C-alpha cells in the first residue's frame, strides 16, 4: 500500500493517512471486507510512528468506514449498508458534533479517546520511546522476580493439577482474601474475608459494582477532571454521568448537593487518594461531608484506591471513616505488579456481597486461583510491601526530574506534584498538540479526555515515570512554538 505523505503539508500525518485511506475506501480501491495493514506494518510502510496509524485508523472507524475485529485487525465496512450514511445516521453525527467544542484544524472524530489511549499501551514497545500519556509504570520497574518464584511454588506437583481441573472459589482464593483483609486492616479499613471479592483487576471490580447496583439511565456522580476510562465505561452502559469538580481537598459539595436534590444519584465514584489525573488526596473533613451526604440521600460511595501501594497508609479514606456501610472499596495490583495478570478486589457492606458475587459469577464464573495463591504468598512474606517501597523511591526521584523538565519547558503544575501523575497547564490546546506529537511518536493524554464534557483544555496529564527524557520535552517545546506561530498568523 503506497501512500504519499508529507511532513510539510498543512494537515498532520494522521489526517493525511486517514484521508488517503478514506478516498480509497469510497472509490472501492479498498473493497468491503478488505483487511487494512496491521498497525506495525502500516507504520513501516509509511515511515510514521505506530501512534499515527492508530489515530488514523480510529478516525476511519469514527467515520464508519472501517471496523475493528478483536484479534484480527481493521476491516473495510460495506459503506452502502453503513448506517452512518443514512439520513438518520447523518443527523445523529451532526448532533454529536454539535455537542462538543471541536478544536480548529482537527476534523470531527480525530480526538484521542479512552480506548485509543489504552490501545497505545500495546504499541509502546514498537515506538521505542517512553510515552508521556502512559497509565502504567515502566516494565523494568515491575520486574518482580519474587512473583514468578511464588507462582512456581504454588503450581508445583499436585497443587498445579488441583488448580487446573477445578473452578476457583466463587469469591476468590480464601488465602488471598485473608491476606487482603490484613492489608486493609493496616490502612484502617475493617473488612473480613467474607466481605472481599477478588476480580480481574480494579476495572472489573468497578464494572461489577455498576452492573449490580445500576440500571441504564441511572445518574452517577463522577469526579471532574477524572479517569477517562470510567467516563467511557459508564456512558457505554447507558448511565447518566454527573461530573463533580474535584479540588485539592475533595469534591465540590455544593454541586453534589444540587445533584442529590434534583437527580437522586445512585453512586458517587471517587479516586480519593492520589487522584487521577491531579494527584490530589481527599481531606478527612471532605470525606466526612461526603459520607453525611451519602447517608442523607441514599447513594453509595465507590472508593477506587488503585494507587494505594504508592500512597501513604495513613491517607484519609472514605472507607476508613465509614467502616463499609455506605462505601464500597476497590483496589488492584496492575499498577505495581505484572499488569497482564489482572488482579483486583472489592470490599463491600455485608448486605451487598451476595448481589455483587452473583454479578461476578455471571460475567467470569471465577478468577484464576494459581495467580491469586502466588500473590497471597508474596503478601504473607512481605515481598509485595518491600517492592512497593522501592517503587515509591523510584517515583520520588522520577517526579523531581520530570517536574524540573516540565517547568523548564514552560509548563505550570495546576496541582502540587504527587504520586504517579502530574496535571500540567501547557498554555495551548492539548488536543491540537496531541496530533502534532503523535506524528513525532509521542502519545500524550490531553486534558479534554479527563472531562465528561470533552471541551477544549490547555492541560495534559503526564506520567512522572515516563517524562524524564529531555528529548520529549524538546519535541514538546517545538510543537508548542509551532502552534503559537500558527495562531499569530491567523
Amino acid at each position: 500500500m503506497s501512500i504519499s505523505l508529507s511532513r510539510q503539508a498543512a494537515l498532520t500525518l494522521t489526517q493525511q493517512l486517514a484521508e488517503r485511506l478514506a478516498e480509497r475506501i469510497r472509490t472501492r480501491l479498498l473493497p468491503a471486507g478488505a483487511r487494512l495493514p496491521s498497525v506495525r506494518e502500516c507504520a513501516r510502510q509509511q515511515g510514521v510512528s505506530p501512534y499515527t496509524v492508530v489515530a488514523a485508523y480510529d478516525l476511519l472507524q469514527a467515520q464508519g468506514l472501517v471496523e475493528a475485529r478483536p484479534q484480527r485487525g481493521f476491516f473495510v465496512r460495506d459503506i452502502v449498508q453503513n448506517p452512518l450514511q443514512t439520513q438518520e445516521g447523518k443527523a445523529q453525527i451532526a448532533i454529536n458534533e454539535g455537542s462538543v467544542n471541536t478544536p480548529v484544524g482537527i476534523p470531527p472524530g480525530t480526538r484521542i479517546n479512552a480506548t485509543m489511549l489504552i490501545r497505545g499501551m500495546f504499541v509502546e514497545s514498537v515506538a521505542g520511546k517512553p510515552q508521556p500519556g502512559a497509565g502504567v509504570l515502566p516494565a523494568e520497574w515491575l520486574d518482580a522476580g519474587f512473583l514468578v518464584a511464588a507462582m512456581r511454588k504454588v503450581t508445583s506437583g499436585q497443587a498445579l493439577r488441583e488448580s487446573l481441573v477445578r473452578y476457583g472459589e466463587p469469591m476468590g482464593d480464601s488465602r488471598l482474601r485473608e491476606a487482603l483483609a490484613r492489608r486493609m486492616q493496616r490502612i484502617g479499613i475493617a473488612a473480613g474475608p467474607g466481605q472481599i471479592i477478588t476480580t480481574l483487576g480494579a476495572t472489573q471490580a468497578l464494572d461489577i459494582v455498576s452492573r449490580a447496583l445500576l440500571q441504564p439511565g441511572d445518574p452517577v456522580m463522577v469526579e471532574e477532571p477524572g479517569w477517562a476510562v470510567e467516563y467511557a465505561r459508564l456512558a457505554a452502559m447507558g448511565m447518566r454521568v454527573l461530573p463533580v469538580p474535584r479540588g485539592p481537598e475533595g469534591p465540590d459539595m455544593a454541586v453534589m448537593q444540587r445533584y442529590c436534590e434534583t437527580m437522586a444519584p445512585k453512586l458517587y465514584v471517587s479516586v480519593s487518594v492520589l487522584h487521577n489525573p491531579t494527584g490530589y488526596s481527599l481531606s478527612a473533613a471532605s470525606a466526612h461531608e461526603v459520607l453525611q451526604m451519602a447517608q442523607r440521600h441514599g447513594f453509595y460511595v465507590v472508593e477506587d484506591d488503585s494507587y494505594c501501594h504508592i500512597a501513604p497508609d495513613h491517607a484519609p479514606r472514605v472507607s476508613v471513616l465509614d467502616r463499609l456501610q455506605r462505601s464500597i472499596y476497590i483496589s488492584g495490583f496492575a499498577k505495581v505488579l505484572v499488569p497482564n495478570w489482572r488482579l483486583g478486589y472489592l470490599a463491600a457492606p455485608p448486605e451487598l456481597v451476595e448481589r455483587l458475587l452473583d454479578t461476578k459469577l455471571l460475567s467470569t464464573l471465577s478468577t484464576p486461583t494459581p495467580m491469586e495463591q502466588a500473590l497471597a504468598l508474596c503478601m504473607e512474606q512481605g515481598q509485595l510491601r518491600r517492592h512497593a517501597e522501592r517503587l515509591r523511591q523510584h517515583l520520588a526521584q522520577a517526579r523531581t526530574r520530570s517536574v524540573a523538565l516540565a517547568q523548564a519547558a514552560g509548563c505550570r503544575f495546576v496541582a502540587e506534584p504527587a504520586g504517579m501523575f502530574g496535571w500540567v497547564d501547557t498554555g495551548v490546546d492539548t488536543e491540537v498538540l496531541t496530533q502534532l506529537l503523535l506524528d513525532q511518536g509521542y502519545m500524550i493524554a490531553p486534558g479534554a479526555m479527563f472531562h465528561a464534557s470533552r471541551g477544549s483544555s490547555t492541560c495534559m496529564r503526564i506520567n512522572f515515570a515516563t517524562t524524564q527524557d529531555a528529548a520529549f520535552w524538546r519535541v514538546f517545546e517545538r510543537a508548542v512554538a509551532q502552534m503559537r506561530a500558527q495562531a499569530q498568523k491567523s
Side-chain angles (χ1 to χ4, degrees):
M1 184 176 68
S2 176
I3 294 176
S4 176
L5 304 179
S6 171
R7 296 185 183 274
Q8 280 71 49
L11 297 179
T12 66
L13 295 176
T14 292
Q15 294 167 316
Q16 293 177 58
L17 180 58
E19 285 194 359
R20 305 293 193 280
L21 289 171
E23 181 181 0
R24 293 183 178 204
I25 292 170
R26 293 190 180 103
T27 58
R28 299 288 181 168
L29 290 175
L30 280 172
R35 182 181 184 276
L36 297 186
S38 70
V39 170
R40 290 191 186 197
E41 180 60 20
C42 187
R44 186 192 64 77
Q45 289 175 352
Q46 310 308 328
V48 297
S49 77
Y51 297 96
T52 296
V53 179
V54 169
Y57 284 6
D58 272 6
L59 178 53
L60 293 172
Q61 191 172 10
Q63 294 172 342
L65 298 175
V66 304
E67 63 180 355
R69 299 178 187 174
Q71 309 300 322
R72 297 184 62 193
F74 289 86
F75 291 79
V76 176
R77 298 182 65 181
D78 185 350
I79 58 176
V80 174
Q81 301 298 323
N82 182 358
L84 295 181
Q85 304 300 314
T86 66
Q87 291 303 313
E88 180 182 347
K90 290 177 180 177
Q92 185 60 49
I93 291 173
I95 291 171
N96 292 342
E97 290 176 1
S99 65
V100 295
N101 180 18
T102 305
V104 176
I106 302 295
T110 311
R111 298 181 167 209
I112 301 296
N113 57 30
T115 52
M116 182 177 172
L117 195 65
I118 293 172
R119 200 181 302 167
M121 293 190 303
F122 300 109
V123 294
E124 179 178 358
S125 60
V126 180
K129 299 174 181 177
Q131 295 304 313
V136 295
L137 294 173
E140 57 270 22
W141 289 22
L142 304 180
D143 185 15
F146 61 85
L147 194 57
V148 176
M151 176 60 93
R152 288 198 191 101
K153 185 170 183 179
V154 301
T155 57
S156 60
Q158 185 65 19
L160 176 60
R161 183 180 181 281
E162 290 294 326
S163 66
L164 292 179
V165 298
R166 292 184 175 86
Y167 284 116
E169 298 177 55
M171 292 186 66
D173 181 68
S174 58
R175 182 177 177 182
L176 176 59
R177 288 187 289 114
E178 289 169 2
L180 291 171
R182 290 192 292 271
R183 156 72 185 163
M184 293 174 67
Q185 289 283 354
R186 284 199 299 274
I187 62 175
I189 300 175
Q195 290 176 263
I196 298 172
I197 299 173
T198 64
T199 61
L200 299 176
T203 302
Q204 195 209 17
L206 289 164
D207 198 61
I208 287 172
V209 171
S210 300
R211 293 182 186 279
L213 304 184
L214 300 173
Q215 296 293 327
D218 280 348
V220 179
M221 294 184 290
V222 295
E223 296 171 323
E224 188 176 58
W227 190 33
V229 174
E230 185 64 5
Y231 295 154
R233 191 184 63 78
L234 289 169
M237 293 177 67
M239 307 308 167
R240 186 170 184 181
V241 176
L242 306 178
V244 178
R246 173 67 186 261
E249 298 296 310
D252 187 319
M253 302 305 299
V255 172
M256 288 185 71
Q257 182 63 35
R258 286 198 297 272
Y259 285 146
C260 290
E261 292 170 353
T262 59
M263 304 287 187
K266 300 295 181 66
L267 295 178
Y268 167 52
V269 184
S270 172
V271 180
S272 54
V273 180
L274 297 182
H275 173 257
N276 178 10
T278 64
Y280 293 142
S281 288
L282 192 69
S283 71
S286 289
H288 183 65
E289 283 189 81
V290 168
L291 285 172
Q292 285 184 317
M293 191 174 292
Q295 290 285 357
R296 287 197 306 270
H297 295 281
F299 63 84
Y300 284 97
V301 179
V302 181
E303 184 168 41
D304 179 358
D305 200 12
S306 291
Y307 306 98
C308 65
H309 300 286
I310 58 174
D313 286 350
H314 62 269
R317 291 172 170 86
V318 172
S319 301
V320 172
L321 296 178
D322 179 58
R323 301 180 68 84
L324 295 179
Q325 297 178 54
R326 299 298 308 179
S327 62
I328 301 169
Y329 180 83
I330 287 173
S331 190
F333 299 87
K335 291 291 185 291
V336 296
L337 287 173
V338 282
N340 199 30
W341 275 24
R342 310 306 307 147
L343 291 166
Y345 62 99
L346 62 86
E351 67 273 15
L352 294 182
V353 170
E354 287 302 315
R355 199 188 321 179
L356 295 169
L357 178 59
D358 286 346
T359 305
K360 172 189 173 178
L361 295 176
L362 288 173
S363 59
T364 58
L365 294 182
S366 64
T367 40
T369 298
M371 296 177 182
E372 292 185 347
Q373 290 178 340
L375 176 59
L377 180 60
C378 294
M379 294 180 72
E380 292 166 355
Q381 296 179 344
Q383 292 164 318
L384 177 62
R385 176 181 50 79
R386 292 190 291 273
H387 174 65
E389 289 172 355
R390 289 192 293 270
L391 287 181
R392 285 195 289 269
Q393 292 172 2
H394 287 321
L395 264 176
Q397 295 167 357
R399 197 160 47 240
T400 300
R401 289 191 288 269
S402 294
V403 168
L405 287 167
Q407 290 174 335
C411 291
R412 177 182 65 87
F413 280 83
V414 179
E416 185 68 23
M420 183 171 166
F421 299 120
W423 189 233
V424 299
D425 191 339
T426 66
V428 297
D429 189 325
T430 46
E431 285 211 288
V432 178
L433 179 65
T434 296
Q435 298 304 319
L436 296 176
L437 293 177
L438 275 173
D439 291 341
Q440 303 300 317
Y442 290 105
M443 177 178 280
I444 64 171
M449 281 187 56
F450 300 92
H451 287 77
S453 61
R454 283 306 300 251
S456 23
S457 170
T458 59
C459 291
M460 69 176 179
R461 186 197 73 181
I462 62 171
N463 183 329
F464 290 124
T466 57
T467 48
Q468 304 177 70
D469 183 5
F472 161 71
W473 291 106
R474 288 193 293 269
V475 173
F476 168 87
E477 288 185 87
R478 289 196 296 271
V480 170
Q482 179 183 338
M483 289 178 63
R484 287 177 173 155
Q486 290 174 344
Q488 289 176 351
K489 290 179 182 177
S490 60

